[in-house]
Amino acid sequence: MQIQASLKEILTGKTTDVYFIRAQEILKSENKNPEVTAEIWTKNLPENYKWGIFAGLEEALFLFKDLNVDIWALPEGSIFYHREPVLTIKGKYLDFATLETPLLGYICQASGISTKAARCKVAAKDRKILSFGARRMHPSLTPLIDRYAYLGGVDGVSAVLSGERLNIKPQGTIPHSVIIILGDTVKGAKAYDKATTEEIPRIILVDTFSDEKVETLRVAKALGKKLDAVRIDTPSSRRGSLLEIARELREELDLHNYKNVGIFASGGLNEYNIVNLNQWVDGYGIGTCLSNATTINFSLDIVEIEGKPITKKGKTSGMKMVFECTRCGMRKITINKDTINKCECGNPMKSLTQKIIEKGRAIKEPETINDIRKRVLTEINYLDV
Ligand SMILES: [Zn+2]
């Protein structure tokens, strides 16, 4: 049984809210189909975020592939702030009215996941973070969640299909089940070492049966120099403080001359608790917080009809563009296609808003996911959570 919508159903407007069908019927009966300019923006970012990462553009543009519209957007993976337009469409209203629901769906969820991933990456600084979130959402969404987590800056993904789609090797350690079945952490560690090819890092779970510190030292002794890291995924009911467990492990490992053995943590991690763990932990598996990332509340509003500024209350009419200073990074939103050439600091400003579709034809080549991700990683270097 397939419950999720097929691509064909999405493209033919079947996932739209019915009120857009009503809007079509009403406007047709009134013989009205003006050229409108409509923009996607958000009044507020979730959880007091200061910034977001715009994602889902390339996927969403598929909706418009045979339509005679013009589209402007920030490049996929751009940092955006509240009130900045991320995408603007100009065309006959009835040509795209029913696409509003799927368009927002593509962009709101993708941007929510990429933003959360970027926030976790900022919090983790130079430590590695992996996306472990596949199990928390419908499996048909697995490659989607991992694509946008990767775009937002995670260093790797755990799901096999996601790895194939991103052309990267999926990463992971071993599940508790192996150690439970073999009956002992050291037996599990040795079996893992025996069965796994050399290039796979030896990261061993140390929280299955006994105390993490005791197990860590047993595993370190058993694998010696081969041990790359230990992983703690202690259940919250037994955890007390993951920070204290990590500190104890680090201190004992150092004391026993296992300074090169890293600590990898997973289980209920997010950008807020990662910040504190950084002093003891070398890498993170992040699951629910990525797959369950709060979506960005983007909305689409008409801001011009037949070139004349008009909109609903709570918004400013007229087409807007986002400009950024090439030196100090100051941003400005211009209204009504105004351009700004110079920043207050005296340096040139450039438009981040770019025309990408003209009369239904793509006029810009899409970037590869690796290029987008590289840009995200460079830009978030200057931000904090
Ligand atoms: Zn400036």
Side-chain angles (χ1 to χ4, degrees):
M1 178 176 70
Q2 180 180 330
I3 295 177
Q4 73 270 26
S6 67
L7 189 58
K8 191 177 164 202
E9 285 168 324
I10 297 168
L11 293 179
T12 51
K14 295 276 275 201
T15 61
T16 196
D17 295 302
V18 71
Y19 78 162
F20 289 120
I21 307 285
R22 300 227 171 94
Q24 265 186 337
E25 288 163 2
I26 297 163
L27 292 171
K28 273 183 192 161
S29 80
E30 293 290 314
N31 222 4
K32 291 263 185 200
N33 185 19
E35 184 181 77
V36 305
T37 305
E39 68 188 19
I40 293 182
W41 69 309
T42 183
K43 206 182 288 177
N44 292 301
L45 285 158
E47 299 173 36
N48 294 320
Y49 294 177
K50 290 180 236 160
W51 47 270
I53 300 288
F54 174 51
L57 176 66
E58 195 185 334
E59 213 184 342
L61 286 182
F62 207 62
L63 290 168
F64 297 93
K65 72 181 176 58
D66 297 321
L67 295 181
N68 184 21
V69 293
D70 290 345
I71 296 182
W72 293 257
L74 301 183
E76 179 134 32
S78 294
I79 289 160
F80 70 91
Y81 295 86
H82 74 292
R83 294 194 167 271
E84 290 182 348
V86 294
L87 187 147
T88 306
I89 311 165
K90 188 176 183 180
K92 294 277 185 190
Y93 182 67
L94 292 181
D95 285 353
F96 66 89
T98 59
L99 298 178
E100 178 170 337
T101 312
L103 170 63
L104 289 173
Y106 277 128
I107 287 174
C108 293
Q109 186 179 20
S111 300
I113 295 167
S114 292
T115 300
K116 191 54 106 175
R119 288 172 60 80
C120 289
K121 188 67 191 165
V122 169
K125 300 204 168 86
D126 52 352
R127 287 156 196 80
K128 208 171 176 186
I129 63 172
L130 303 180
S131 169
F132 281 4
R135 64 187 56 193
R136 294 284 173 253
M137 288 284 152
H138 194 283
S140 62
L141 297 182
T142 299
L144 180 150
I145 292 165
D146 282 336
R147 175 183 172 85
Y148 293 115
Y150 187 66
L151 186 153
V154 305
D155 299 282
V157 299
S158 61
V160 174
L161 182 62
S162 307
E164 281 175 18
R165 293 267 167 93
L166 294 166
N167 205 17
I168 56 175
K169 273 197 179 146
Q171 297 186 51
T173 56
I174 42 168
H176 286 102
S177 60
V178 170
I179 294 173
I180 297 170
I181 290 168
L182 294 177
D184 175 58
T185 297
V186 168
K187 269 192 196 161
K190 283 185 171 165
Y192 176 45
D193 181 44
K194 195 173 103 188
T196 314
T197 51
E198 230 166 66
E199 78 279 4
I200 308 280
R202 270 54 181 164
I203 303 174
I204 306 297
L205 262 175
V206 289
D207 60 5
T208 309
F209 293 119
S210 178
D211 176 73
E212 291 83 348
K213 185 167 70 184
V214 175
E215 296 285 64
T216 293
L217 293 177
R218 284 182 70 223
V219 170
K221 204 175 161 196
L223 291 198
K225 288 211 161 83
K226 284 187 185 167
L227 181 64
D228 291 290
V230 292
R231 174 176 157 220
I232 39 174
D233 186 63
T234 313
S236 55
S237 61
R238 298 298 194 93
R239 193 175 270 191
S241 160
L242 193 67
L243 185 69
E244 283 305 308
I245 298 174
R247 182 184 61 79
E248 264 187 70
L249 294 193
R250 183 72 271 150
E251 288 178 352
E252 289 294 325
L253 282 166
D254 289 352
L255 185 71
H256 289 85
N257 274 330
Y258 297 116
K259 288 195 164 70
N260 293 332
V261 175
I263 298 171
F264 189 84
S266 57
L269 300 182
N270 54 43
E271 69 268 47
Y272 307 108
N273 50 29
I274 283 175
V275 170
N276 296 323
L277 288 166
N278 277 342
Q279 54 187 319
W280 313 114
V281 176
D282 305 286
Y284 303 99
I286 301 173
T288 309
C289 123
L290 290 175
S291 49
N292 204 25
T294 314
T295 61
I296 308 292
N297 257 342
F298 284 121
S299 60
L300 180 84
D301 293 300
I302 291 177
V303 291
E304 284 179 1
I305 295 179
E306 301 290 359
K308 290 205 179 97
I310 181 169
T311 194
K312 67 179 191 185
K313 68 180 186 182
K315 227 192 121 66
T316 310
S317 48
M319 180 177 159
K320 296 161 207 79
M321 294 174 88
V322 184
F323 280 76
E324 187 184 54
C325 174
T326 50
R327 188 178 172 95
C328 76
M330 193 175 70
R331 295 164 82 107
K332 281 224 160 140
I333 304 170
T334 63
I335 302 173
N336 239 356
K337 306 173 196 77
D338 280 351
T339 56
I340 313 176
N341 296 322
K342 240 183 190 176
C343 175
E344 285 163 18
C345 77
N347 285 284
M349 292 196 83
K350 64 163 192 219
S351 174
L352 298 179
T353 306
Q354 297 172 356
K355 195 172 200 182
I356 51 171
I357 305 264
E358 195 167 274
K359 299 203 182 313
R361 203 172 45 84
I363 53 173
K364 271 206 180 312
E365 280 292 310
E367 287 175 279
T368 67
I369 179 124
N370 284 320
D371 286 344
I372 298 170
R373 180 172 173 273
K374 248 186 239 163
R375 195 154 38 75
V376 171
L377 287 171
T378 308
E379 292 187 10
I380 60 175
N381 244 329
Y382 304 97
L383 300 174
D384 57 40
V385 294

